[in-house]
Amino acid sequence: MHTLKLQIQDDIYENLLSKGIDINRKLQEFITTLADDGYPVISTQEAKKRVADAVDRYRDGSGSYTPIDKDYIDEMHNYIQSL
């Protein structure tokens, strides 16, 4: 196990404490999510193979894709415009 040193402004630290936030626990949770995004680890070579296979399926028409309907397109367009 390793120990990390963190410097934080006094006012931010006091604000977190006043809200009853367990800073150490929150940081541990955050770091855990950085280390584990929920997806299994694959090599760069495997990732390139998967992309190449997907491109091949697209080009030869053997892939299966979710149909996009007009409502979805409109919703995405509105969302992108709102950004």
Side-chain angles (χ1 to χ4, degrees):
M1 185 171 296
H2 295 281
T3 302
L4 299 175
K5 181 179 177 181
L6 174 68
Q7 291 184 330
I8 187 169
Q9 293 177 343
D10 292 338
D11 59 329
I12 294 173
Y13 179 80
E14 294 299 328
N15 187 299
L16 293 172
L17 285 182
S18 72
K19 294 179 179 180
I21 295 174
D22 182 345
I23 300 168
N24 190 43
R25 184 177 57 78
K26 286 289 188 184
L27 287 173
Q28 288 175 351
E29 289 172 3
F30 175 71
I31 289 171
T32 299
T33 62
L34 289 176
D36 181 10
D37 61 5
Y39 293 99
V41 176
I42 62 171
S43 67
T44 301
Q45 182 179 359
E46 176 64 18
K48 287 179 179 180
K49 180 185 178 308
R50 290 182 186 187
V51 170
D53 290 346
V55 169
D56 289 342
R57 285 191 307 272
Y58 177 79
R59 285 183 177 153
D60 69 20
S62 66
S64 62
Y65 306 98
T66 304
I68 298 177
D69 62 9
K70 182 173 177 352
D71 291 339
Y72 174 80
I73 293 172
D74 291 343
E75 184 178 329
M76 287 306 297
H77 176 76
N78 291 337
Y79 172 74
I80 291 169
Q81 293 302 314
S82 72
L83 297 179

